[in-house]
Amino acid sequence: MNNCIFCKIVRREMPSQKVYDDDDLLAFHDINPVAQVHIILIPKLHLVSLMETNDSHTALLGKMLLLAPKLAKEQGLNNGFRTIINTGKGGGQEVFHLHIHIIGGNIPPMVRRD
Ligand code: AMP
Ligand code: ZN
């Protein structure tokens, strides 16, 4: 048994507000949203980050990316959305189970140049 928060959510040892669930993937509302819509999409398989992925994960990663716009639309984000994958400490990752943030609503440009 690992101690990973997202694995605990997969094993239903921790609650989550699920929006999607199948054999491979799970999506739920972020506990601390940064915008009107903030969904976390994870593989049920414990992968630490994109750094730990390889060719054996091609289908899984493709499935995640293809699901993202469907979930965004279901959340009412018909006009677009932002996906973020933080990778490793240097990428600002805090939960070390690969996940895609799906964020939308009234969001500013990601990078301000002023
Ligand atoms: P990251 O910095 O990319 O690792 O983001 C981790 C995200 O997971 C943050 O946006 C947290 O708010 C979110 N988070 C942490 N714990 C939970 C939880 N129990 N349920 C839902 N979201 C969570
Ligand atoms: Zn995990």
Side-chain angles (χ1 to χ4, degrees):
M1 284 293 169
N2 69 30
N3 223 13
C4 165
I5 299 173
F6 289 172
C7 283
K8 284 183 178 169
I9 289 176
V10 170
R11 295 196 299 260
R12 298 182 190 171
E13 293 166 14
M14 269 189 68
S16 71
Q17 277 187 273
K18 267 180 217 165
V19 297
Y20 183 85
D21 191 356
D22 72 16
D23 286 348
D24 303 314
L25 307 179
L26 187 65
F28 46 88
H29 289 280
D30 194 291
I31 206 169
N32 191 15
V34 298
Q36 286 92 334
V37 175
H38 188 166
I39 302 295
I40 298 284
L41 170 58
I42 66 169
K44 289 189 172 175
L45 178 70
H46 179 80
L47 290 169
V48 172
S49 80
L50 274 186
M51 294 273 210
E52 283 71 28
T53 55
N54 58 46
D55 288 352
S56 75
H57 304 118
T58 303
L60 187 63
L61 292 171
K63 192 171 169 179
M64 290 178 78
L65 281 181
L66 290 171
L67 180 60
K70 293 182 185 152
L71 296 181
K73 277 188 202 140
E74 278 173 19
Q75 294 298 315
L77 301 176
N78 298 309
N79 224 5
F81 60 94
R82 178 171 297 155
T83 45
I84 298 175
I85 306 176
N86 295 323
T87 301
K89 285 214 163 71
Q93 187 175 3
E94 290 181 332
V95 175
F96 288 88
H97 179 130
L98 174 64
H99 52 281
I100 301 180
H101 297 259
I102 299 168
I103 295 168
N106 190 17
I107 56 174
M110 189 168 74
V111 179
R112 283 184 202 282
R113 295 181 179 85
D114 39 32

